[in-house]
Amino acid sequence: MRLLLRAAGLRAPKLPVTAAASSSSSPAVPMGLPRHPARWGSRFHVPPSAEAVARSVGICSMMKLPVQGSAAGLDAAFVGVPLDTGTSNRPGARFGPRQIRAESSLLRRFNSSTGAAPFDSLLVADIGDVNVNPYNLPQSCRLIRGAFQDIVGSGCVLLALGGDHTITYPILQAVAERHGPVGLVHVDAHTDTADRALGEKIYHGTPFRRCVDEGLLDCGRVVQIGIRGSSYGPDPYKYCRDQGFRVVLAEECWMRSLVPLMAEVRQQMQDRPVYISFDIDGLDPAYAPGTGTPEVAGLTPAQALEIIRGCKGLNIVGCDLVEVAPMYDVSGNTALLGANLLFEMLCILPGVKTM
């Protein structure tokens, strides 16, 4: 599989071992540190506790999980797709996976709000990045599709770190090959259903139009939440509604809990395969300024959690978090928010126990 590991020699047997780089059931202990149950008391891969391993120590993987070269044997896998060739405004999302991984060192083993214990339920690892070609967008889409065919074919549930929203198109090509047309929970400021721009049919404004064209979506089970912003025409959502999508404008979400909405979404999605695609610009730029096409008056982080947690119980076959462009947020908070949302997605996957 065309994936790049994040550090040369990572799997060398004599590499000094930290909790982030070890995947054995009885790993060597970092020098000067005791064994700690938050890491070594589980048969699964578990993020190391900062009580035993400093957050600045170890390989920069997602949640400091072990890194391996494929999804073989895993229940779920984090995979980076560092591509931003499809952006239409501010570039930089190619650096999203790296910064999300760096900020994810703050995350811990359990979800204390929901009780979810993903690392006591599923075997999870970081499997590196798809080796995209930033000079050739069509070729990159083919590389992404091929990489995710291997991941999905292994039976692993993917959690993709973008990258611009173009990446969702080839990912869904791979997902639909295995699962057929899928339902979609799409959080975004934009519908991403344009047909073309400057003559090009593939860029981050068209992925779901291309998915409809190819029959990758079960259009009666598509919901788009947080949609807003100025438009080129007087009825920018007509195409979506004509396909049967449910479009939930940001204005419908202002000052409200989205728990009732998500109860309706669960009924809409039924028990058939569902994919979650979360564009960080669905959130208001006050919370997530580090993105390429920000739109004012968006969702709040609390509403984002309500949306993701509201997908608990669905037959989720894959997720992505896209459009984090770190250089527009020197605080790192946009990437930190993205890391937390990916953790929340992991916590709602089928098979995750609560403690």
Side-chain angles (χ1 to χ4, degrees):
M1 185 168 62
R2 297 170 291 279
L3 297 175
L4 292 179
L5 294 179
R6 295 184 62 78
L10 177 65
R11 295 172 65 82
K14 298 193 178 192
L15 185 74
V17 177
T18 71
S22 172
S23 61
S24 68
S25 58
S26 300
V29 180
M31 288 192 298
L33 296 174
R35 289 183 179 273
H36 194 280
R39 169 64 193 178
W40 295 291
S42 173
R43 64 187 179 89
F44 297 104
H45 299 158
V46 178
S49 169
E51 295 174 344
V53 180
R55 289 194 172 99
S56 57
V57 171
I59 299 299
C60 185
S61 65
M62 187 67 184
M63 296 185 69
K64 300 179 75 174
L65 288 166
V67 178
Q68 62 184 60
S70 79
L74 298 176
D75 299 308
F78 293 103
V79 54
V81 191
L83 180 73
D84 63 5
T85 311
T87 53
S88 60
N89 192 43
R90 303 189 303 199
R94 70 181 64 185
F95 302 110
R98 183 177 300 175
Q99 191 66 30
I100 291 169
R101 285 179 169 115
E103 299 296 340
S104 75
S105 66
L106 187 58
L107 296 170
R108 305 167 185 89
R109 176 177 182 174
F110 297 106
N111 189 322
S112 58
S113 297
T114 67
F119 301 107
D120 292 82
S121 312
L122 305 176
L123 190 61
V124 188
D126 187 327
I127 60 171
D129 293 332
V130 179
N131 186 16
V132 296
N133 180 354
Y135 307 114
N136 189 320
L137 186 55
Q139 183 190 30
S140 287
C141 287
R142 291 191 292 272
L143 292 168
I144 294 165
R145 180 178 183 173
F148 281 92
Q149 284 172 329
D150 291 343
I151 296 167
V152 175
S154 74
C156 178
V157 178
L158 65 99
L159 297 114
L161 292 65
D164 73 58
H165 222 151
T166 310
I167 72 169
T168 305
Y169 166 47
I171 292 174
L172 283 175
Q173 287 179 316
V175 169
E177 284 181 20
R178 181 175 179 90
H179 298 286
V182 296
L184 176 70
V185 177
H186 172 208
V187 183
D188 205 322
H190 315 97
T191 63
D192 292 351
T193 54
D195 186 34
R196 63 183 71 216
L198 302 177
E200 298 298 325
K201 300 192 75 170
I202 298 176
Y203 78 107
H204 75 163
T206 64
F208 301 114
R209 183 77 161 240
R210 301 287 80 83
C211 288
V212 170
D213 290 347
E214 296 183 18
L216 309 180
L217 298 177
D218 181 355
C219 293
R221 294 191 304 121
V222 173
V223 59
Q224 299 180 300
I225 305 172
I227 307 301
R228 63 192 189 277
S230 54
S231 63
Y232 296 116
D235 190 3
Y237 314 125
K238 182 179 185 302
Y239 172 85
C240 299
R241 292 178 174 133
D242 286 348
Q243 310 314 307
F245 296 3
R246 180 176 182 180
V247 179
V248 181
L249 302 181
E251 288 88 340
E252 299 174 49
C253 304
W254 290 348
M255 307 303 211
R256 296 182 182 178
S257 168
L258 300 188
V259 171
L261 168 65
M262 294 312 297
E264 296 173 2
V265 169
R266 287 194 299 276
Q267 290 186 339
Q268 178 185 2
M269 296 298 154
Q270 304 172 14
D271 60 355
R272 301 200 296 275
V274 175
Y275 187 89
I276 300 173
S277 187
F278 201 117
D279 187 326
I280 202 71
D281 73 23
L283 301 181
D284 191 272
Y287 305 106
T291 192
T293 50
E295 302 283 359
V296 302
L299 304 176
T300 68
Q303 290 174 318
L305 296 186
E306 288 179 326
I307 293 169
I308 295 173
R309 292 174 183 177
C311 292
K312 176 71 175 176
L314 296 180
N315 181 13
I316 299 165
V317 295
C319 312
D320 64 51
L321 187 289
V322 298
E323 299 286 358
V324 171
M327 65 284 300
Y328 307 116
D329 181 6
V330 295
S331 72
N333 285 342
T334 304
L336 176 62
L337 181 52
N340 275 271
L341 296 179
L342 283 159
F343 173 63
E344 292 283 341
M345 292 176 194
L346 176 66
C347 288
I348 61 163
L349 293 185
V352 173
K353 300 181 294 186
T354 55
M355 305 296 283

